[in-house]
Amino acid sequence: KKFNFQYVACQNCETSYVNPRPTPEIIKWYYTNSENYKFWNKYTFPLSEKSRIKSIIKPRINRILEICEKENVKKDLFVEVGPGFGTFGQELIKTNYFSKFLAIEPMPDLAETCRKKGLDVIEENIEDIKLNSVKATVIGSFEVIEHLFSPLEFLKGINKQLKKDGLIFITCPNINGFEVKTLGKISDTYDIEHLNYFSIESLSSLIEKSGFKVIQTMTPGLLDADIVRKKINLGQKKISNKNFLHSILIKEWDQLGNSFQKFLSENKLSTHMWIVAKKTQI
C-alpha cells in the first residue's frame, strides 16, 4: 500500500496494478482538469526542453530511425500517442524521415501546446478515433501506457490505426528493473498516476494479445544506479557498509558506477524499458 492505494500483482504474468483503480470517468476528469499537468505545461516542460532534447529526445529518435531502417518500414505517417509538450514531434519532423506526423493528445492544454508548435493534433483518445484516408506506418507512445485504465483497449486502438506490418514503439517503467526491485515501496516509480506496472515479459504478452509480434525488447535506461544511490545518501534507503550494493554505489562509485549501470542496461535490468512490435493481425 502507498498513497492510500493498494497495489497487487498478478500471479500469472506478474503485472502489478492499482486495485481498485479509478474509473475511466475519474481518470478522464483528472487529465482534463489536472493542475499538475497545467504546471508541467507552463513551467517544467519549457524550462527542461533543451536538456530533454539532448539527453532523451534525440537519442530516442536516432534509435527509432535505426530500427525503422533495419525493418524496412515505409516512411509515410508517424503517429505519436500522448505527445505531451510536442518536443518529440518537432524534432522528428526536422529529420524529414516521415512524410507526415500526427499527434493524438486528449488533454486540452497539451493539445493546444502541440498545435502552437505547428503539429497536427487530434484531441481524442486513440481508442475513439478513426484515421480517414491513410493509416500510420509507425506509432510511438512514450511513458503513457502505465497511466491508463485499460492498456489492452489502448493497444487494440493502436492496432486499428496501424497498417499491416507497421511498427509500434512502447516505452514505460520496468517493474523488474534494478531501481524498483531495490527500493520497493519507496521507489518514485510507484506514483499516484501510475496504475499499471509491467515487466518486459508481461507487456510483451499483452502486446502480442493485441495483434502484434514483439521483435525487440531493451532497457536503455541509465539512471537506476544514480537514483538508488541518491536514496541511500538521503537516508531513505538503509544498506550496511558491508553490503555488496554499498561497495558499488557508495564506496567504489567512481570506479564501478558507470560500468554497473551499463551492465543493468545491457542485461535488460534497467527500470526504463522499450518494446518494439510489428502488426500481424487486423
Side-chain angles (χ1 to χ4, degrees), residues 178-187 227-228 231 237:
F178 174 76
E179 181 252 317
V180 175
K181 284 289 189 182
T182 304
L183 297 179
K185 185 176 179 179
I186 67 170
S187 167
I227 291 171
V228 175
K231 293 286 188 182
K237 174 68 178 177

Side-chain angles (χ1 to χ4, degrees), residues 10-60:
C10 174
Q11 292 183 339
N12 293 322
C13 72
E14 296 185 337
T15 300
S16 182
Y17 54 97
V18 173
N19 186 25
R21 65 215 287 105
T23 64
E25 292 75 20
I26 289 174
I27 295 171
K28 182 178 181 180
W29 175 87
Y30 173 74
Y31 284 110
T32 301
N33 300 284
S34 172
E35 292 297 327
N36 174 38
Y37 279 98
K38 289 178 182 178
F39 183 91
W40 275 72
N41 189 37
K42 187 175 181 180
Y43 299 106
T44 308
F45 283 139
L47 290 172
S48 64
E49 189 169 36
K50 287 185 179 180
S51 60
R52 286 175 57 81
I53 288 172
K54 180 181 178 181
S55 61
I56 298 174
I57 304 299
K58 285 189 174 180
R60 176 179 289 168

Side-chain angles (χ1 to χ4, degrees), residues 14-198:
E14 296 185 337
T15 300
S16 182
Y17 54 97
V18 173
N19 186 25
R21 65 215 287 105
T23 64
E25 292 75 20
I26 289 174
I27 295 171
K28 182 178 181 180
W29 175 87
Y30 173 74
Y31 284 110
T32 301
N33 300 284
S34 172
E35 292 297 327
N36 174 38
Y37 279 98
K38 289 178 182 178
F39 183 91
W40 275 72
N41 189 37
K42 187 175 181 180
Y43 299 106
T44 308
F45 283 139
L47 290 172
S48 64
E49 189 169 36
K50 287 185 179 180
S51 60
R52 286 175 57 81
I53 288 172
K54 180 181 178 181
S55 61
I56 298 174
I57 304 299
K58 285 189 174 180
R60 176 179 289 168
I61 289 173
N62 291 338
R63 185 176 289 118
I64 287 173
L65 299 190
E66 182 180 305
I67 294 171
C68 286
E69 282 292 306
K70 182 180 178 181
E71 296 296 325
N72 197 28
V73 174
K74 291 182 180 179
K75 304 175 183 180
D76 298 332
L77 171 61
F78 188 107
V79 172
E80 184 183 7
V81 185
F85 197 63
T87 307
F88 172 86
Q90 271 193 317
E91 294 300 313
L92 182 66
I93 289 170
K94 289 177 184 178
T95 68
N96 293 314
Y97 188 89
F98 293 95
S99 60
K100 187 177 180 181
F101 175 89
L102 176 65
I104 309 296
E105 178 53 72
M107 295 177 61
D109 285 357
L110 292 176
E112 183 59 25
T113 296
C114 288
R115 291 190 189 98
K116 289 178 179 178
K117 287 175 174 283
L119 302 180
D120 290 331
V121 182
I122 295 178
E123 197 174 320
E124 293 185 61
N125 292 317
I126 187 72
E127 301 94 318
D128 302 326
I129 70 168
K130 183 177 182 180
L131 299 181
N132 295 324
S133 56
V134 181
K135 288 191 174 184
T137 50
V138 181
I139 295 180
S141 183
F142 313 113
E143 288 75 61
V144 171
I145 197 167
E146 65 269 26
H147 296 259
L148 305 176
F149 180 83
S150 178
L152 179 61
E153 293 306 311
F154 175 76
L155 290 167
K156 287 181 178 179
I158 287 178
N159 184 293
K160 290 178 182 178
Q161 314 308 330
L162 192 67
K163 286 184 178 180
K164 183 74 161 51
D165 295 324
L167 294 186
I168 62 169
F169 292 83
I170 305 291
T171 73
C172 68
N174 169 24
I175 197 171
N176 284 337
F178 174 76
E179 181 252 317
V180 175
K181 284 289 189 182
T182 304
L183 297 179
K185 185 176 179 179
I186 67 170
S187 167
D188 293 333
T189 297
Y190 285 106
D191 180 89
I192 59 170
E193 295 181 11
H194 294 172
L195 305 182
N196 315 291
Y197 300 84
F198 296 101

